[in-house]
Amino acid sequence: MTAEWWRHAVIYQIYPKSFADASGDGVGDLHGVVARLDHLARLGVDAIWLSPFYRGPQRDGGYDVADHRDVDPRFGTVADAERLVEEAHRRGIRVIVDVVPNHTSSDHPFFREAMASPPGSPAWGRYHCVRGRGPDGDEPPNDWRSLFGGIAWTRIPDADGAPTGWWYLHLFDAHQPDVDWSHPDVVAEFDATLRYWFDRGVDGFRIDVAHGLVKAPGYPDAGRPGTAPVASATPYFDQPGVHAIYRRWREIADAYDPPRIFVAEAWLDAPEKRGAYLRPDELHTGFNFELLVADWDADAWRRVVDASLAADATVGAPTTWVTENHDVRRAPTRYGGRVVHREVPTESHLARGRRRSLGATCAMLALPGTTYLYQGQELGLDEVIDLPDAAREDPHFHRTAGAALGRDGCRVPLPWRRSGLGLGFSGAREVAPWLPQPARWAALSVEAQEGDPDSTLERTRRAIAVRRATPALLEGGFVWEPGVGGDGSGVLAWRRTHAAGDVVCVLNMGEAPVRLPEGRLLAASHDPVATRDDRALPQDAAAWVAPAR
């Protein structure tokens, strides 16, 4: 790949707690990741992104960090992280890790010092500690709501545990206080974190809540209820001051050889707002969540593709494509049809959803830009909705008293083998994983799909291999291909243009088979059906064709 490898990479997200367990305690770890790197090399990914493995109490799945420059003992040691980077690089796989700059854990030394200090102490300045409303400060400072439910403020007690008139801000759980980026100690803390991991060979960072670091002066009311994680004129998201932080970070990343890269998790309410984060002196890429939330609908997908490519082109940034991650329901469950809260999908629902999910993956891989896959997406794993309440750990579930199921269902440990307790998650050990796996996943395990040419795993492998070997799919132009399927058919078709040869991509989201263009079939999520004089792509499938030159 070129020096700007991130412009057309396939990046695989690892949620370390649920990827592979080498220690035998039912919890994934860094040794487990190393042990399974050959699976990722065979899959053909260019890079991995690891969700947080840092020291912290794990009240929010690792996104409550007490020390960004240490590895939590549950996952291993700093030496283990260094070995992971070395082993990944040896296989030609780059490594991106998370940084969580919007908040810390309440166990972070900064916050412990603040809570042990009297009001107004310098240590309080590292967080948003604000006097409450009312004569005695009995009311929260404003109407901001936590994205996990409830108010976004917790009252600060005095040394004896009695409530004071002061409150601290947490846009997420109460154990995740937001830091104040106007304080130089906060700036220095994260500068040091970036350099620490860059010095250990890490190739880049994914920035958690990248749009949330700066809050509006004076903490004005938001003026409306809601907990949606998007910037819609909210005083706590997408504030102008955030860009100075990223210009500073870009200077740090560019000082390395080769330069390191950033990808922003910025939930914004319009694609064009993302461009402000992706200017040449700021971040390299930003997640495009529009496709992640789009329905299985050709018109919706076309609008997303058009708007996303146009918005990112204004700043010369590649578009990223993602349909799954650790925060949303898995695609087979979403695409199979509507699921209400705790409703468990039927097998026919999941079969339809898996078919569509594989079609979506093939379609993403044929769009210009970067593709992100979430662990287990290559297996067609579905959301585990019927987890026991006692097993759930997501604070979103607990803060809403179960009104929101939270994200545990997409974080269930991976099935590597078709039998045994844990389905091989802990290797040969018969150990129950930290979240229970459904019995149906035995048939979706790596072992069960390995070598089956029609399996989701093998078709994903072939698609990635074809993409890597086809210049048009890596760096070709993009134009919609009219006439495929006819108007109103629910079919999307586009052409990737390149001097070495074009590729026509077809995604059939309609209700009937559609004739494929003439040419050599490069890859397909499901085999076309041969007719007397042509080939028809079945519904809920995608295919790539190289037209005759």
Side-chain angles (χ1 to χ4, degrees):
M1 301 188 83
T2 66
E4 292 189 329
W5 60 271
W6 41 273
R7 288 188 172 273
H8 41 69
V10 177
I11 302 175
Y12 184 99
Q13 181 191 357
I14 291 174
Y15 190 73
K17 192 174 183 179
S18 298
F19 185 68
D21 165 32
S23 67
D25 62 357
V27 176
D29 47 51
L30 297 184
H31 279 300
V33 176
V34 172
R36 298 295 187 179
L37 282 174
D38 286 342
H39 168 75
L40 301 179
R42 188 173 178 193
L43 187 61
V45 301
D46 302 297
I48 55 177
W49 151 38
L50 293 105
S51 291
F53 48 75
Y54 310 116
R55 183 178 291 275
Q58 295 287 313
R59 293 188 178 98
D60 183 24
Y63 287 90
D64 49 329
V65 180
D67 187 348
H68 264 106
R69 299 192 292 280
D70 195 10
V71 173
D72 194 280
R74 298 172 181 88
F75 301 124
T77 65
V78 170
D80 295 333
E82 292 173 331
R83 177 170 176 258
L84 191 162
V85 173
E86 178 183 349
E87 290 293 328
H89 285 174
R90 191 165 65 82
R91 292 165 174 82
I93 299 173
R94 292 178 170 87
V95 179
I96 298 170
V97 298
D98 251 303
V99 64
V100 188
N102 177 73
H103 49 266
T104 70
S105 165
S106 54
D107 285 1
H108 194 284
F110 280 0
F111 194 72
R112 288 186 168 182
E113 181 184 357
M115 294 301 98
S117 305
S121 298
W124 280 38
R126 300 175 182 135
Y127 294 89
H128 297 276
C129 298
V130 181
R131 180 76 181 177
R133 289 175 171 171
D136 298 316
D138 293 339
E139 299 295 325
N142 60 31
D143 65 355
W144 297 2
R145 305 283 294 177
S146 164
L147 274 71
F148 287 168
I151 63 170
W153 299 91
T154 289
R155 202 167 181 183
I156 301 173
D158 62 21
D160 297 323
T164 69
W166 293 83
W167 303 67
Y168 70 86
L169 175 67
H170 51 87
L171 292 180
F172 296 90
D173 188 64
H175 297 287
Q176 294 165 288
D178 285 42
V179 295
D180 189 338
W181 270 88
S182 67
H183 199 288
D185 288 356
V186 172
V187 175
E189 173 75 5
F190 284 95
D191 282 359
T193 291
L194 299 183
R195 292 189 175 100
Y196 183 87
W197 291 109
F198 286 159
D199 289 345
R200 281 155 180 77
V202 163
D203 299 283
F205 278 98
R206 175 262 191 187
I207 306 169
D208 188 60
V209 198
H211 57 312
L213 275 56
V214 175
K215 279 66 176 177
Y219 306 98
D221 281 343
R224 70 191 195 295
T227 59
V230 298
S232 303
T234 53
Y236 44 84
F237 282 151
D238 198 30
Q239 294 295 307
V242 75
H243 298 288
I245 297 169
Y246 297 136
R247 286 192 290 272
R248 179 186 182 93
W249 283 16
R250 182 60 177 260
E251 290 179 357
I252 294 174
D254 284 350
Y256 284 81
D257 184 19
R260 308 309 199 238
I261 67 103
F262 296 108
V263 56
E265 185 214 24
W267 286 87
L268 304 164
D269 54 6
E272 55 270 19
K273 290 186 177 182
R274 187 169 59 247
Y277 292 76
L278 309 183
R279 289 174 288 204
D281 62 343
E282 292 191 40
L283 307 177
H284 301 76
T285 63
F287 285 117
N288 170 27
F289 293 120
E290 284 79 9
L291 199 60
L292 183 72
V293 299
D295 292 332
W296 184 256
D297 177 84
D299 290 337
W301 273 55
R302 179 161 184 155
R303 286 193 297 270
V304 167
V305 170
D306 281 339
S308 300
L309 291 177
D312 293 334
T314 62
V315 290
T319 297
T320 63
W321 308 104
V322 54
T323 57
E324 289 194 27
N325 66 25
H326 64 296
D327 284 333
V328 299
R329 282 192 169 183
R330 285 191 176 271
T333 302
R334 299 197 325 268
Y335 289 151
R338 187 165 181 262
V339 176
V340 181
H341 196 43
R342 292 178 183 258
E343 178 185 357
V344 177
T346 63
E347 189 49 49
S348 62
H349 173 121
L350 293 178
R352 179 172 59 247
R354 289 191 187 101
R355 183 182 184 90
R356 290 175 171 178
S357 177
L358 180 55
T361 297
C362 288
M364 284 196 303
L365 288 166
L367 289 169
T370 305
T371 300
Y372 278 82
L373 301 177
Y374 177 50
Q375 63 178 40
Q377 188 169 350
E378 78 276 23
L379 305 177
L381 299 186
D382 51 284
E383 185 83 2
V384 184
I385 292 177
D386 53 348
L387 288 170
D389 286 0
R392 294 182 183 273
E393 295 187 359
D394 190 345
H396 197 184
F397 173 82
H398 294 288
R399 282 180 64 90
T400 61
L405 282 186
R407 302 156 295 174
D408 293 307
C410 65
R411 300 176 178 183
V412 174
L414 295 193
W416 293 93
R417 293 213 294 260
R418 67 172 85 226
S419 62
L421 185 62
L423 300 176
F425 174 66
S426 298
R429 300 177 181 88
E430 294 285 315
V431 177
W434 70 278
L435 282 175
Q437 304 149 313
R440 63 181 176 274
W441 277 16
L444 301 176
S445 65
V446 174
E447 182 184 44
Q449 297 195 43
E450 193 96 49
D452 177 359
D454 294 327
S455 69
T456 298
L457 174 60
E458 294 293 358
R459 287 187 182 272
T460 302
R461 283 173 174 168
R462 289 202 299 275
I464 294 174
V466 170
R467 171 190 166 102
R468 176 172 283 191
T470 307
L473 293 173
L474 288 179
E475 55 192 28
F478 174 91
V479 291
W480 292 111
E481 188 79 354
V484 177
D487 294 338
S489 64
V491 175
L492 289 179
W494 60 93
R495 182 180 291 261
R496 301 295 307 278
T497 58
H498 196 276
D502 294 356
V503 175
V504 174
C505 311
V506 182
L507 175 61
N508 185 4
M509 306 173 93
E511 298 180 358
V514 59
R515 181 179 179 179
L516 281 175
E518 294 183 2
R520 179 167 55 95
L521 183 68
L522 299 178
S525 65
H526 293 83
D527 290 337
V529 177
T531 63
R532 190 172 66 179
D533 55 2
D534 59 20
R535 297 168 301 181
L537 182 67
Q539 66 186 102
D540 298 333
W544 309 342
V545 176
R549 303 187 69 179

